[in-house]
Each structure stands twice: as structure tokens, then as C-alpha cells.
């Protein structure tokens, strides 16, 4: 979608929201988005609690701007226990100069800052999962206010949007950049080109179990060129996954024409989650035995994992069989699982 139409859509939303909620979003940026140069500051969200009566949540934000050009919005820690994004984006924020760019880069290394500070997926303040809270509410909970600020202010300014996820404490992934398929042919092609430019080892046509409330859904609704990732997981990082994030962020900005230089070409193996039987869900609680590792080829009928009873280890384990062929793209990280946990994802090679 052209920038003008995206801005108009955001404007309509804003008008609609103001009518609906009356309130304006209480977040105040300490930087000036129109100013050239490098600015490090915060998004200040008033938050009154026991330890700070007139306190505020101060979410770090960096802007690097040089004249006219497209705007890229880069974020990490939408879920607070995913770390490739915050590391790569802190590095970028500390190193990028105005001379390096043409246009504007807005960097928020930790979107859900309270969750990030707590090392948790969701906010310790209101239990909010930011990536289920969009488009948000200006007069809602802390998490809903953060979502609303991204919807009405930051996304509205952006042309290219990159949101870096990993598996967090409970999932682990093969490293991939991802997009959702779009009916709009132009938007679909633009997102695909940006996903390929990121240059992760894998590139995924992603399907959500439930797209309602996702940042992705809002960014795409506003017509942005949107790329997300899953770069690893387990609540930690490796040198390899951080290097993928570093290279991907630079490639994304080069692809957008904001950072000088050519995209560092890197072939991504294409994967697709659109088929049936992609998600494997635990129907027992117990001890998880992986029978395949991440990246392994999977044939329909293969045993992907077993779950053993904690209380009766002499019982036969429950076997989870692949309903489709492909590769194992994700797995549950902790060895203890509950009923309903996602224990594996089988993605088809394209
Ligand atoms: Zn995530």
C-alpha cells in the first residue's frame, strides 16, 4: 500500500479511536521524530505503583534520521524473553550514524519493556501479551497503551517494519525470517522481497494459529512492508543466531534503500506452514522425548516425539506422529510438557 494510503488508514483509525475512547495515548516520546541526526531517548508512559507514585515506564527508543527517504521501524522483545532482537538492535542503536542512512530508522529494542526487564514473555504489570493486544487501547491497560502507541504513532510513520522474534523460554526454532501471504499482490511481493533480503537460513510463509491481536496483523492492515522472524529460542541466544539477526537487520535496511550498500546475498531455504497437520499439540502431560531435532527431515508417519508419564514411567509412552512431510521447524524447549503445549511444528519445503 502506498505511504499516503497507509497514513490515511492510520488517520481514520485514530479518529475512530478518539471518538471511541476519547483519551489520547498518554505515552510521550523524549525524542523529536522530525529532527535529523541521532537521538537516544525514551517513550515515557506514566505508571503509578507502590514503589513510584508518579512513576513512568521508560522504554528506550533511538532514531537515526538523515533527510528525506523511507522510514524503517525495527523492534525486538515484543515478547520479553526473546533476545536476538534486543541484542542486534542495541548494537545497531549504539553504532548507526546519520551519515550511514538516507531516510529514517526508528529502533525500539524492547517493545514490551516491562516484560523484557522481568525476563518474561508477558508483562508482569498486567499479564499482557503485547503480541495479542493489538490494535490496543489508549485508555486500556499498560500493555494495551503500548500497543495503541505503536498502532497510531510509530506504525503510522513507517514504510518498512521488522519485528524480531525468537522462541522464548518455551519454544526453539530453526532460524527464519517470515511473512504472511497477502491477497494484495503488490504487498505480497514487497513483503516477500524484504523477507528474502533479510537472509536468514530459512524463509517461512507463516500461518498463525490465531492472527487476532498480533502486531503483524495491524502492520499488514496498515499496508506496511512487514517482516517478522523466529531466530532461535529457549530464552537465550547463540553467537550464530545473533549473527543472523545482525546481518538480517543490515540487509533489511539496505533493501529498504535506507542504509548504503548492497544486500549481503544469502540464500534462504523456503518453508511453508500453510499445509494441514503443521502443528503438533500435546494431548498428555509428562516428560518429552524428542525423536527428531530441529532442521531434521520429517516424513509423514515419522515419530516426532514421545511423552512419558511422570508418575508411571513403566507405561508405554504416547507417540506423536507427523501428519505431513517437511522439516522440523520448531520444538517445545522445556522437557516437561502440559496438555495443549505445542511440541513441534513441521513445515513443508517449497
Ligand atoms: Zn515472540
Amino acid at each position: 500500500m502506498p505511504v499516503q494510503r497507509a497514513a490515511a488508514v492510520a488517520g481514520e483509525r485514530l479518529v475512530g479511536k478518539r471518538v471511541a475512547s476519547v483519551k489520547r495515548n498518554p505515552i510521550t516520546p523524549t525524542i523529536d521524530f522530525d529532527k535529523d541526526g541521532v537521538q537516544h531517548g525514551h517513550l515515557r508512559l506514566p505508571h503509578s505503583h507502590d514503589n513510584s507514585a508518579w512513576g513512568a515506564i521508560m522504554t528506550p527508543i533511538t532514531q537515526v534520521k538523515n533527510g528525506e527517504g523511507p522510514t524503517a521501524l525495527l523492534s525486538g522483545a515484543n515478547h520479553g524473553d526473546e533476545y536476538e532482537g534486543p541484542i542486534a538492535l542495541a548494537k545497531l542503536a549504539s553504532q548507526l550514524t546519520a551519515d550511514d542512512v538516507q531516510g529514517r530508522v526508528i529502533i525500539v529494542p524492547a517493545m514490551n519493556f516491562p516484560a523484557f526487564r522481568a525476563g518474561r514473555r508477558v508483562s508482569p504489570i498486567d499479564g499482557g501479551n503485547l503480541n495479542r493486544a493489538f490494535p490496543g487501547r489508549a485508555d486500556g491497560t499498560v500493555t494495551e497503551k503500548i500497543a495503541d502507541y505503536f498502532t497510531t504513532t510509530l506504525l503510522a510513520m513507517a514504510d518498512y517494519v521488522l519485528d524480531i522474534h525468537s522462541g522464548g523460554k518455551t519454544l526453539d526454532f530453526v532460524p527464519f525470517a517470515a511473512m504472511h501471504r497477502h491477497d494484495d499482490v503488490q504487498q505480497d511481493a514487497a513483503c516477500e522481497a524484504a523477507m528474502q533480503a533479510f537472509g536468514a537460513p530459512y524463509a517461512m510463509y507463516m500461518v498463525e494459529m490465531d492472527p487476532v491481536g498480533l502486531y503483524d496483523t495491524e502492520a499488514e492492515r496498515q499496508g506496511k512492508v512487514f517482516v517478522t522472524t523466529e531466530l532461535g529460542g529457549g530464552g537465550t541466544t547463540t553467537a550464530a543466531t545473533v549473527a543472523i539477526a545482525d546481518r538480517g537487520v543490515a540487509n533489511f535496511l539496505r533493501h529498504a534503500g535506507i542504509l548504503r550498500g548492497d544486500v549481503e546475498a544469502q540464500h534462504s531455504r523456503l518453508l511453508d506452514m500453510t499445509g494441514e497437520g503443521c502443528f503438533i499439540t500435546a494431548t498428555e502431560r509428562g516428560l518429552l522425548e524428542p525423536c527428531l531435532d530441529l532442521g531434521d527431515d520429517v516424513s509423514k508417519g515419522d515419530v516426532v516425539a514421545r511423552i512419558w508419564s511422570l508418575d508411571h514411567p513403566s507405561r508405554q509412552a504416547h507417540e506423536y506422529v507427523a501428519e505431513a512431510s517437511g522439516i522440523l521447524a520448531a520444538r517445545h524447549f522445556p522437557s516437561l510438557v502440559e496438555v495443549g503445549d505445542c511440541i513441534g511444528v513441521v513445515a513443508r519445503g517449497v
Side-chain angles (χ1 to χ4, degrees):
M1 190 190 293
V3 178
Q4 294 87 338
R5 198 183 137 211
V9 168
E12 284 157 22
R13 268 205 78 67
L14 198 58
V15 170
K17 287 185 87 67
R18 277 183 184 149
V19 170
S21 66
V22 184
K23 283 202 72 175
R24 289 183 56 167
N25 193 294
I27 292 177
T28 315
T30 65
I31 63 173
D32 178 352
F33 292 115
D34 295 326
K35 203 169 126 187
D36 275 355
V38 177
Q39 298 176 76
H40 302 290
H42 295 91
L43 302 174
R44 187 175 58 222
L45 169 57
H47 177 52
S48 176
H49 55 98
D50 281 348
N51 296 330
S52 190
W54 286 10
I57 294 162
M58 302 289 277
T59 302
I61 185 169
T62 293
Q63 175 177 279
V64 182
K65 182 175 181 296
N66 182 11
E68 296 302 311
T71 293
L73 173 59
L74 312 177
S75 54
N78 183 335
H79 294 124
D81 60 351
E82 303 173 1
Y83 298 105
E84 280 80 2
I87 293 170
L89 295 181
K91 201 180 299 175
L92 183 74
S94 70
Q95 292 174 352
L96 202 60
T97 69
D99 286 341
D100 296 331
V101 308
Q102 184 65 50
R104 180 166 59 174
V105 184
I106 300 171
I107 305 166
V108 183
M111 280 175 90
N112 192 341
F113 193 64
F116 174 67
R117 286 290 306 271
R120 291 180 53 184
R121 179 173 180 82
V122 302
S123 175
I125 297 171
D126 55 19
N129 180 342
L130 181 58
N131 215 28
R132 300 293 182 274
F134 280 85
R137 286 177 62 101
D139 59 353
T141 64
V142 161
T143 303
E144 288 170 334
K145 285 170 180 165
I146 295 170
D148 179 78
Y149 188 78
F150 272 83
T151 294
T152 57
T153 302
L154 296 181
L155 277 177
M157 288 191 286
D159 306 293
Y160 291 84
V161 181
L162 173 65
D163 189 32
I164 304 173
H165 287 254
S166 304
K169 287 176 178 166
T170 66
L171 288 174
D172 198 8
F173 287 90
V174 295
F176 62 81
M179 64 171 287
H180 305 99
R181 299 316 303 253
H182 300 282
D183 294 335
D184 181 321
V185 178
Q186 270 188 332
Q187 190 180 11
D188 194 71
C191 292
E192 169 133 28
M195 171 180 77
Q196 296 275 10
F198 186 94
Y202 296 88
M204 179 79 84
Y205 299 122
M206 208 168 182
V207 172
E208 303 294 342
M209 296 172 105
D210 179 2
V212 173
L214 298 185
Y215 179 53
D216 315 39
T217 305
E218 181 56 32
E220 290 163 355
R221 193 193 65 77
Q222 292 190 25
K224 310 303 176 183
V225 178
F226 180 80
V227 174
T228 185
T229 73
E230 298 291 356
L231 297 182
T236 187
T237 62
T238 66
T241 56
V242 171
I244 292 165
D246 288 340
R247 188 184 60 224
V249 166
N251 274 344
F252 186 81
L253 292 176
R254 290 182 193 121
H255 174 76
I258 297 171
L259 189 65
R260 291 180 221 298
D262 297 326
V263 170
E264 219 179 280
Q266 187 81 22
H267 175 70
S268 301
R269 187 173 161 193
L270 263 180
L271 298 174
D272 191 338
M273 277 169 63
T274 55
E276 288 289 310
C278 178
F279 295 96
I280 302 172
T281 303
T283 54
E284 322 273 320
R285 76 166 51 117
L287 181 60
L288 182 70
E289 176 195 354
C291 302
L292 295 169
D293 285 321
L294 285 179
D296 281 353
D297 288 324
V298 182
S299 296
K300 187 176 178 177
D302 284 353
V303 176
V304 176
R306 297 188 184 95
I307 296 180
W308 294 89
S309 166
L310 298 180
D311 304 305
H312 304 283
S314 57
R315 280 188 192 157
Q316 281 301 312
H318 190 92
E319 292 195 331
Y320 291 82
V321 172
E323 292 175 19
S325 299
I327 72 152
L328 189 67
R331 54 158 288 198
H332 195 264
F333 193 75
S335 291
L336 298 185
V337 294
E338 291 292 326
V339 174
D341 284 346
C342 175
I343 56 175
V345 174
V346 177
R348 283 190 300 123
V350 177

